[in-house]
Amino acid sequence: MPGRSTIEAIHLLRNLMEKFKERKENLHLVFIDLEKAYDKVSREVLWRVLEKKEICTAYIQVIKDMYEGAVTSVRTQGDLTKDFPITVGLHQGSALSPYLFALIMEVMTGHIQDEVPWCMLFADDIVLIEKTKEGAKAKLELWRNALESKGLHLNRSKTEYIKCTFSQERNTYIGDVTIGDQIIKKSERFRYLESIIQNDGEIDNDVISRIQAGWVKWRNASGVLCDRKISSKIKGKFYKTVVRPAMIYGAECWPAKKKHTNKINIAEMRMLRWMCGYTRKDRMRNEYIRKKVGVAPIEDKLRESRLRWFGHLNRRPIEAPVRKIELLDFAHVQRGRGRPKKTWQETIRSDLSYLNLDKNLVTDRAQWKQRIHVADPT
């Protein structure tokens, strides 16, 4: 998905799973991991790809100069080894390498890629989606042959398969998903672009993962956040810059329930009280703590991020990759029995109702941004 954000890929995958879950149809996901992806790229393949994409000759020469004469050494117990040349792979840590790798993957696999959302590439993160296990097996084998013919290999221990069993039909065993002779791991959850995807389509594990990520950031910054010499307002600004973004990453795509919001809110209040040097025994109200550090309720910030993402989606043309789900035809599938699970669209409708907003307002970006903005206390 060149030129797209990680949130678009996460939204597409979650939205597709919602649609199939709502109609009680199974879905099969294969998450491909490439073995030393950047290190296995042939330089000759790279030059041919750049020429095929009609990159300016001067730019190609500059890139060749960057890679020409590259040497490295290895640190051993005694000393460094002698320098030896590097003639294969992309530079690790270079800002240009992800772009070059994306170009290579686009050219190498363009003839076997299905349309979004059935096949999504984000650098070396690849997910293949099918309605049947046989289709998933066939597609995986096709990708394996295409990649190995160009010198790239699938990591058989890290490539994983998830079966989303949404239907109520009796299970029939039709074999495992394999790479060659090796059975790939079947999982109940997978970390895709730092978002946890569950086989039941829920977000409980992703919420827990985001809270843990927030605590990791908080502990790394505890030298600042717990310093009594620093004012509470400065701590609040630091928290809003470092900790809160980690906690709400990917939350734009959540069909969040009250229990999820409560979990995140409890974690945030523990952090804010700790920053201020209070415990629950001090009986300080949440509103007082938030005003002291200048941090708005995370529930409101979650709503703001969802509506901001909703506005972004609706301003995109209907043929944009991120809106491909809306063009899928589910008319032939009847909705299953029972109350439908909460969906992202239902969450958005609740948010619009809460703020008394008309969804047609999204076309006016400035006004939409003003109406959904949640200001932090001053």
Side-chain angles (χ1 to χ4, degrees):
M1 296 178 64
R4 306 273 73 87
S5 69
T6 57
I7 300 300
E8 291 195 13
I10 295 170
H11 173 82
L12 277 166
L13 185 52
R14 289 198 182 280
N15 215 239
L16 184 65
M17 293 176 70
E18 270 187 9
K19 296 291 186 185
F20 274 75
K21 186 175 183 179
E22 186 178 18
R23 288 157 179 81
K24 293 185 168 51
E25 277 197 292
N26 293 340
L27 203 59
H28 302 265
L29 317 176
V30 178
F31 296 92
I32 294 178
D33 185 84
L34 297 178
E35 190 177 273
K36 299 180 180 178
Y38 282 24
D39 296 335
K40 295 289 183 71
V41 173
S42 167
R43 298 278 172 81
E44 294 303 319
V45 170
L46 174 59
W47 310 143
R48 288 200 298 270
V49 166
L50 293 177
E51 291 172 1
K52 187 171 183 178
K53 299 297 288 185
E54 298 181 352
I55 304 297
C56 177
T57 306
Y59 291 160
I60 296 177
Q61 188 58 49
V62 169
I63 296 172
K64 285 184 176 180
D65 291 342
M66 290 170 55
Y67 283 87
E68 185 179 355
V71 297
T72 190
S73 59
V74 178
R75 185 183 299 277
T76 62
Q77 290 183 349
D79 200 356
L80 292 175
T81 64
K82 292 183 179 180
D83 291 343
F84 55 89
I86 302 296
T87 59
V88 68
L90 300 175
H91 287 165
Q92 295 288 341
S94 170
L96 187 61
S97 294
Y99 176 72
L100 295 177
F101 187 80
L103 285 179
I104 292 168
M105 290 297 293
E106 184 180 346
V107 172
M108 286 172 48
T109 64
H111 62 289
I112 60 172
Q113 285 186 33
D114 290 334
E115 288 189 353
V116 173
W118 303 108
C119 172
M120 291 188 287
L121 282 73
F122 201 95
D124 58 344
D125 291 292
I126 306 169
V127 57
L128 309 178
I129 305 174
E130 273 292 334
K131 298 179 181 179
T132 64
K133 183 179 285 189
E134 296 95 331
K137 291 168 65 175
K139 188 179 285 188
L140 179 60
E141 187 64 22
L142 182 65
W143 275 75
R144 181 179 76 88
N145 293 332
L147 292 172
E148 290 185 354
S149 66
K150 302 296 184 181
L152 297 177
H153 297 276
L154 274 61
N155 190 324
R156 285 155 168 75
S157 61
K158 292 185 178 179
T159 296
E160 297 188 21
Y161 161 68
I162 291 181
K163 179 183 179 182
C164 302
T165 310
F166 299 140
S167 73
Q168 297 176 337
E169 297 176 0
R170 185 174 300 176
N171 291 333
T172 55
Y173 181 75
I174 56 173
D176 298 299
V177 177
T178 59
I179 301 177
D181 298 329
Q182 183 172 342
I183 299 173
I184 68 172
K185 180 182 177 183
K186 185 177 180 180
S187 305
E188 294 183 353
R189 64 184 68 90
F190 184 83
R191 185 181 294 274
Y192 176 64
L193 301 177
E194 292 304 312
S195 184
I196 306 296
I197 304 298
Q198 297 177 215
N199 65 343
D200 58 0
E202 297 293 334
I203 62 170
D204 302 77
N205 286 296
D206 197 25
V207 172
I208 293 171
S209 174
R210 288 297 95 212
I211 292 173
Q212 290 172 346
W215 275 113
V216 168
K217 293 291 185 181
W218 193 92
R219 291 187 183 100
N220 290 340
S222 59
V224 174
L225 298 176
C226 296
D227 191 339
R228 296 190 176 187
K229 296 179 182 178
I230 299 177
S231 70
S232 298
K233 293 294 185 183
I234 297 297
K235 291 180 183 179
K237 290 181 180 179
F238 197 88
Y239 169 84
K240 289 182 288 187
T241 304
V242 176
V243 181
R244 189 166 68 186
M247 291 183 69
I248 65 175
Y249 167 78
E252 300 94 328
C253 315
W254 288 351
K257 301 175 184 176
K258 192 66 178 177
K259 66 175 183 178
H260 301 134
T261 306
N262 287 343
K263 274 187 178 180
I264 297 180
N265 186 57
I266 289 169
E268 182 182 65
M269 285 311 306
R270 285 185 63 191
M271 296 177 187
L272 299 183
R273 286 179 185 275
W274 203 336
M275 285 162 49
C276 296
Y278 295 126
T279 66
R280 290 184 63 85
K281 292 182 179 180
D282 295 311
R283 302 182 68 82
M284 293 291 182
R285 296 182 65 85
N286 291 352
E287 293 78 5
Y288 172 79
I289 300 292
R290 292 189 180 281
K291 187 172 182 180
K292 184 173 182 179
V293 295
V295 175
I298 200 164
E299 180 179 3
D300 295 340
K301 300 305 289 186
L302 288 171
R303 184 185 302 110
E304 179 187 358
S305 67
R306 281 194 300 268
L307 291 175
R308 183 175 62 246
W309 180 245
F310 174 74
H312 169 75
L313 289 181
N314 282 269
R315 284 190 295 271
R316 301 293 300 277
I318 191 65
E319 63 273 8
V322 74
R323 298 188 67 180
K324 288 286 188 179
I325 302 291
E326 300 175 34
L327 300 178
L328 296 180
D329 182 19
F330 289 98
H332 65 286
V333 183
Q334 291 186 351
R335 190 180 298 237
R337 295 179 62 185
R339 185 193 183 281
K341 298 292 184 180
K342 189 173 185 180
T343 64
W344 182 76
Q345 288 289 350
E346 184 181 343
T347 307
I348 292 296
R349 285 194 293 269
S350 299
D351 293 339
L352 293 173
S353 176
Y354 182 85
L355 295 178
N356 194 24
L357 288 174
D358 183 354
K359 66 178 182 180
N360 295 321
L361 188 63
V362 298
T363 54
D364 188 338
R365 184 173 182 176
Q367 190 175 359
W368 180 258
K369 182 178 179 180
Q370 182 183 5
R371 291 288 300 275
I372 68 173
H373 179 63
V374 178
D376 290 296
T378 56

